[in-house]
Amino acid sequence: MVKRVRLDPIAQVSEVATNNNLLSVLLQEELNVLKECGGRGLCATCHVYVKEGMESLSPMTRREQRTLEVITSRKPNSRLACQARVLGEGVVELPIGMYANALKDIEVLIGRRAEQPILHPITGAVLVQAGKLITRSVLESVKNLDLDIQEALARSSRDF
């Protein structure tokens, strides 16, 4: 059975097979989702807000709860798209911002202003505010990004 999910703020309505996850909806719409952990529920790169239809999603797993606990932009209606299975119709809001996949993603922006917030892929914390000029000193403040990602993925593979 097919369900409809609306993606805000882009006002896109997508159809998804029952029991597929929300991540499949995001990918189907060709949205740039990093999937840093490969869809295992261990990072923040597929974090979404459920505006309507929280009861139309699968229950939250312990893994998802633990991951959401460290996301700084978490709200009561937060879910990880890779873990939330669609059981009914709903509305999902995409967080504003771009997740940095690696330090090199920010390095290429030196001398430019961030068009949108640049977010940490594990915690969702804002690394660079929208409109801020990206300089070498900004880069220095996030120099441990690659190490953070490697440590988190290593830790998660040991935990599960």
Side-chain angles (χ1 to χ4, degrees):
M1 186 97 185
V2 174
K3 307 295 185 209
R4 292 169 39 129
V5 176
R6 189 175 83 221
L7 302 173
D8 282 349
I10 62 173
Q12 179 71 39
V13 176
S14 298
E15 292 186 344
V16 60
T18 301
N19 218 31
N20 275 6
N21 61 26
L22 284 174
L23 181 59
S24 66
V25 174
L26 301 179
L27 296 175
Q28 172 182 309
E29 294 305 322
E30 298 181 8
L31 297 173
N32 187 19
V33 180
L34 291 177
K35 306 177 305 267
E36 188 65 35
C37 70
R40 296 178 303 180
L42 304 170
C43 71
T45 57
C46 70
H47 173 231
V48 296
Y49 302 112
V50 180
K51 289 176 70 174
E52 295 174 21
M54 185 69 93
E55 70 285 347
S56 298
L57 298 174
S58 60
M60 199 176 297
T61 64
R62 185 168 163 253
R63 177 184 291 182
E64 182 179 6
Q65 289 171 343
R66 287 187 1 199
T67 300
L68 285 172
E69 286 171 1
V70 300
I71 298 175
T72 57
S73 57
R74 178 185 186 199
K75 296 179 183 177
N77 62 334
S78 288
R79 290 297 303 264
L80 297 178
C82 67
Q83 300 298 299
R85 300 231 169 253
V86 179
L87 306 174
E89 299 192 355
V91 178
V92 175
E93 181 181 359
L94 306 172
I96 295 172
M98 176 188 92
Y99 287 99
N101 193 28
L103 192 58
K104 63 180 166 59
D105 293 344
I106 301 173
E107 283 177 340
V108 298
L109 299 174
I110 289 176
R112 298 184 192 169
R113 293 198 181 276
E115 293 179 13
Q116 56 187 335
I118 299 176
L119 310 173
H120 191 285
I122 306 298
T123 66
V126 176
L127 298 172
V128 181
Q129 295 285 342
K132 184 169 182 171
L133 183 63
I134 301 170
T135 62
R136 294 214 180 274
S137 61
V138 168
L139 200 59
E140 184 66 24
S141 70
V142 296
K143 67 181 177 185
N144 292 327
L145 178 63
D146 293 335
L147 184 58
D148 290 349
I149 294 169
Q150 290 169 1
E151 286 177 355
L153 292 175
R155 210 174 26 253
S156 64
S157 65
R158 285 192 309 263
D159 291 347
F160 297 101

